[in-house]
Amino acid sequence: GAVVSQHPSWVICKSGTSVKIECRSLDFQATTMFWYRQFPKQSLMLMATSNEGSKATYEQGVEKDKFLINHASLTLSTLTVTSAHPEDSSFYICSARDLGTYSSYEQYFGPGTRLTVT
Amino acid sequence: AQSVTQLDSHVSVSEGTPVLLRCNYSSSYSPSLFWYVQHPNKGLQLLLKYTSAATLVKGINGFEAEFKKSETSFHLTKPSAHMSDAAEYFCVVSVASGYNKLIFGAGTRLAVHP
């Protein structure tokens, strides 16, 4: 149980184009999903907190107009990198909290999406 | 504000010897603490978690960690390292407000030699 998937697992796009990454909770409902960014050989940095049916909350320094987050259902959140540039190349990871285990503070992580912008 | 500091960026051990990965935390509340492991090109896997129950927490694959409030530490240990333990390990604290965001440490890369 508690499986989170991401699609695609890797994507290459040209500079100036937009790319969408999907995060799905497969066997549980998640009112809250989180998006992280990980540069090579570095730790995970939280980008934003995504809540079903409401606007995402972005961390300081994260451009909300560049990284569009939509959480349209209890099992799906999307991250769209708009007008991507080579410096946006990174490993993007999502996680989800199980609605049924609110008190556990545990997040379940997706396998990540590697974005390369050429 | 909550934070975690992983005291070693790299740890190298021989197979069959003990593993110690050190983590100190800072929190104005009673924290929830986690250890996650990340194998190359794979997703994060939860090893264990502390949420104000028993201070000695046992996790998967023989790992355990002890919460020491007096030392603000949550070190990860394993009695005998296996080659498959080679990976990146993250100590993580949960922010005790809002949506319980996770704050990651910088990570410790564990190498296991034959």
Side-chain angles (χ1 to χ4, degrees):
Chain A
V3 178
V4 176
S5 70
Q6 283 185 241
H7 178 80
S9 55
W10 59 270
V11 58
I12 301 173
C13 70
K14 292 186 176 181
S15 186
T17 62
S18 296
V19 61
K20 180 185 287 187
I21 302 170
E22 293 185 347
C23 176
R24 292 181 185 271
S25 57
L26 298 185
D27 50 3
F28 66 97
Q29 293 183 323
T31 53
T32 304
M33 289 183 171
F34 302 86
W35 287 95
Y36 297 84
R37 184 173 182 176
Q38 185 180 30
F39 289 105
K41 300 186 186 301
Q42 294 190 25
S43 187
L44 279 73
M45 297 297 295
L46 179 65
M47 299 175 65
T49 302
S50 164
N51 292 288
E52 186 264 338
S54 64
K55 291 183 178 180
T57 302
Y58 291 81
E59 295 299 302
Q60 191 172 8
V62 178
E63 300 175 62
K64 62 181 180 181
D65 294 331
K66 181 169 188 61
F67 299 100
L68 300 179
I69 291 172
N70 182 274
H71 193 157
S73 76
L74 288 173
T75 59
L76 173 65
S77 176
T78 60
L79 167 69
T80 301
V81 183
T82 62
S83 187
H85 289 93
E87 57 265 29
D88 298 325
S89 299
S90 189
F91 196 50
Y92 292 89
I93 303 171
C94 74
S95 69
R97 290 185 61 193
D98 187 341
L99 182 63
T101 58
Y102 180 85
S103 63
S104 74
Y105 309 114
E106 183 174 343
Q107 296 178 20
Y108 301 98
F109 285 83
T113 296
R114 186 163 302 283
L115 170 63
T116 301
V117 184
T118 62
Chain B
Q2 286 91 338
S3 66
V4 288
T5 302
Q6 292 185 242
L7 302 175
D8 307 291
S9 59
H10 291 83
V11 170
S12 181
V13 301
S14 298
E15 189 175 22
T17 64
V19 175
L20 170 64
L21 305 183
R22 299 183 294 165
C23 173
N24 286 350
Y25 70 90
S26 174
S27 176
S28 52
Y29 302 92
S30 181
S32 292
L33 293 160
F34 309 79
W35 276 97
Y36 282 87
V37 62
Q38 186 180 36
H39 287 92
N41 299 315
K42 292 194 175 180
L44 287 159
Q45 182 181 23
L46 178 67
L47 282 177
L48 49 80
K49 61 183 177 183
Y50 166 77
T51 55
S52 74
T55 56
L56 182 61
V57 182
K58 294 187 182 298
I60 62 172
N61 301 334
F63 285 95
E64 64 181 37
E66 186 171 8
F67 174 75
K68 292 186 176 180
K69 186 175 181 179
S70 60
E71 299 177 9
T72 62
S73 69
F74 190 58
H75 301 334
L76 181 70
T77 61
K78 182 174 181 177
S80 177
H82 192 272
M83 295 296 288
S84 60
D85 294 327
E88 188 84 19
Y89 291 79
F90 294 100
C91 181
V92 182
V93 64
S94 175
V95 175
S97 63
Y99 302 105
N100 298 113
K101 299 185 299 185
L102 297 183
I103 306 298
F104 280 72
T108 298
R109 181 164 297 276
L110 175 66
V112 182
H113 301 288

